[in-house]
C-alpha cells in the first residue's frame, strides 16, 4: 500500500488560547473533540463526518495513488475514480480540509485511514495482515491503531498540511488511549536490489525488537539485509527514504523484518511500528515548551 509524500513536522496552532493550553487540550482532548476540527488558517483537520466525505477522501486517494503514482486500479475503481476496499466502511478517516476550496470533493486535500482493533475485528483482520504476520502487534496490551492510505494532494505537500495530519493523529491517540501504532509504508519501485542501501539501513539500524517485530509472510518475504552494515552510508540511505518513513523513524519507530513487493501500487513495502507514548510525549513536551515561551513573552 502506497503512502504519498508525508513528512513529520512540528505542531502548530492558530488560536492564542489553545497555544497556552495544556498538551492534552491543545491536541483536541479537552472541551473539543477531533470531530470538531483543529484549524490552521483555511486548513482544518478532523474525522470524516459522512459517507460523502469518505467518498471525497477516496477520490483524493485515487488521484494520488492511481493517476499520479501509476498504481493499477480494479475496473470498478477505474470506473468510479475512487480507491476503496472493505476497510473503508469500518475505519475512521482523518481529513485535511481546505475551506478556501468550497464545499465538495476538492476541499479534501489530505487523508489518513485509522483502524483500531474493534474495526479490524469487523472485517476479520487488519489490512497489514495481507503482507505481514502482525500477531505480536494485534495482541499487544491496550488499544492498537493501524495507520494507512495516507496521501496529500500535490499542491499541499507543505509543512502546514503535514503538521495538521500529525496533529490529528496525536489527538486521536490521546482520545482513544492508543498504546501502539503500526502500518505499511512504501518505497517507490518494485526492484529491491535498486533499494538495497535504504532497505539494509532500515534492517541494521531500525529493526524492531523481537516482541514488536512483524515479519513478512513467507510467500512474500523479501530480505532487507542486502548490504553489510559497514558498506552503508547512513546519510545517503536516509536521503533516499521517503519522508513518511523518515518521519516515523524520528518518532522512534521500528521496522518489521522483511519487505514486501506490492505490484498493484508499484512499491516496496515495509512494516512500521511506533509505540504511542513516543508521539504523545513528543507533542506534550512541544506544547509545554510553547506555553512556557508564551508566558515568558
Amino acid at each position: 500500500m502506497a503512502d504519498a509524500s508525508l513528512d513529520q513536522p512540528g505542531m502548530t496552532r492558530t488560536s492564542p488560547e489553545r497555544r497556552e493550553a495544556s498538551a492534552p487540550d491543545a491536541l483536541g482532548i479537552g472541551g473539543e473533540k477531533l470531530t470538531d476540527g483543529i484549524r490552521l488558517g483555511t486548513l482544518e483537520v478532523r474525522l470524516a463526518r459522512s459517507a460523502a466525505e469518505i467518498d471525497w477522501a477516496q477520490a483524493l486517494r485515487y488521484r494520488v495513488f492511481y493517476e499520479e503514482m501509476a498504481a493499477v486500479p480494479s475496473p470498478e475503481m477505474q470506473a468510479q475514480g475512487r480507491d476503496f476496499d472493505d476497510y473503508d466502511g469500518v475505519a475512521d478517516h482523518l481529513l485535511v480540509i481546505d475551506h478556501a476550496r468550497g464545499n465538495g470533493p476538492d476541499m479534501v486535500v489530505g487523508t489518513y485511514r485509522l483502524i483500531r482493533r474493534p474495526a479490524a475485528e469487523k472485517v476479520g483482520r487488519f489490512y497489514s495482515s495481507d503482507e505481514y504476520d502482525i500477531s505480536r502487534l494485534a495482541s499487544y496490551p491496550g488499544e492498537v491503531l493501524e495507520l494507512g492510505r495516507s496521501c496529500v494532494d500535490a499542491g499541499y505537500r507543505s509543512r502546514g498540511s503535514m503538521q495538521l495530519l500529525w496533529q490529528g493523529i496525536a489527538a486521536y491517540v490521546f482520545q482513544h488511549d492508543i498504546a501502539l501504532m503500526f502500518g505499511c509504508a512504501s518505497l517507490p519501485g518494485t526492484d529491491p536490489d535498486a533499494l538495497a542501501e535504504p532497505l539494509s539501513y532500515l534492517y541494521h539500524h531500525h529493526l524492531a525488537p523481537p516482541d514488536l517485530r512483524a515479519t513478512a509472510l513467507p510467500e512474500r518475504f523479501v530480505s532487507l539485509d542486502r548490504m553489510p552494515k559497514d558498506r552503508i552510508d547512513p546519510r545517503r540511505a536516509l536521503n533516499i527514504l521517503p519522508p513518511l518513513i523518515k518521519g516515523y523513524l524520528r518518532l522512534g519507530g521500528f521496522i518489521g523484518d522483511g519487505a514486501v513487493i506490492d505490484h498493484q501500487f508499484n512499491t516496496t513495502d515495509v512494516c512500521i511500528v511506533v509505540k504511542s507514548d513516543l508521539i504523545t510525549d513528543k507533542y506534550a513536551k512541544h506544547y509545554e515548551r510553547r506555553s512556557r515561551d508564551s508566558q515568558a513573552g
Side-chain angles (χ1 to χ4, degrees), residues 175-197:
Q175 286 179 11
H176 296 286
D177 195 22
I178 304 296
L180 188 74
M181 300 184 295
F182 65 92
C184 293
S186 305
L187 291 80
T190 58
D191 180 0
D193 290 332
L195 298 169
E197 188 165 41

Side-chain angles (χ1 to χ4, degrees), residues 186-258:
S186 305
L187 291 80
T190 58
D191 180 0
D193 290 332
L195 298 169
E197 188 165 41
L199 293 178
S200 299
Y201 168 80
L202 293 174
Y203 177 83
H204 289 295
H205 293 274
H206 297 282
L207 189 65
D211 62 329
L212 293 177
R213 190 177 301 167
T215 303
L217 298 177
E219 66 273 18
R220 306 194 69 176
F221 187 98
V222 174
S223 176
L224 295 171
D225 185 10
R226 313 188 77 79
M227 291 175 59
K229 186 176 181 179
D230 59 6
R231 289 183 52 203
I232 298 169
D233 181 337
R235 183 184 298 272
R236 184 171 60 214
L238 276 169
N239 285 337
I240 297 171
L241 287 173
L244 180 63
I245 295 178
K246 287 188 284 189
Y248 287 132
L249 298 181
R250 284 196 288 269
L251 284 173
F254 302 109
I255 303 296
D257 191 13

Side-chain angles (χ1 to χ4, degrees), residues 70-183:
V72 181
S74 68
E76 294 80 10
M77 290 178 183
Q78 188 170 31
Q80 298 180 38
R82 300 292 187 271
D83 171 61
F84 56 86
D85 62 22
D86 292 341
Y87 293 91
D88 285 332
V90 300
D92 286 326
H93 298 263
L94 191 66
L95 310 178
V96 174
I97 293 167
D98 186 353
H99 291 277
R101 298 182 69 163
N103 183 23
D106 289 343
M107 71 188 300
V108 175
V109 298
T111 186
Y112 237 116
R113 188 168 71 183
L114 312 177
I115 301 175
R116 288 179 286 141
R117 190 182 285 121
E121 288 173 351
K122 293 178 181 179
V123 179
R125 64 192 186 282
F126 283 101
Y127 178 89
S128 302
S129 64
D130 287 343
E131 296 187 352
Y132 286 85
D133 176 356
I134 57 167
S135 54
R136 292 187 180 97
L137 309 180
S139 61
Y140 191 82
E143 183 63 275
V144 299
L145 174 65
E146 184 181 49
L147 302 170
R149 284 301 198 271
S150 54
C151 64
V152 174
D153 182 271
Y156 288 79
R157 291 170 194 166
S158 61
R159 191 169 181 82
S161 54
M162 308 301 183
Q163 285 174 330
L164 279 177
L165 272 175
W166 281 94
Q167 189 168 348
I169 290 171
Y172 192 90
V173 165
F174 270 112
Q175 286 179 11
H176 296 286
D177 195 22
I178 304 296
L180 188 74
M181 300 184 295
F182 65 92

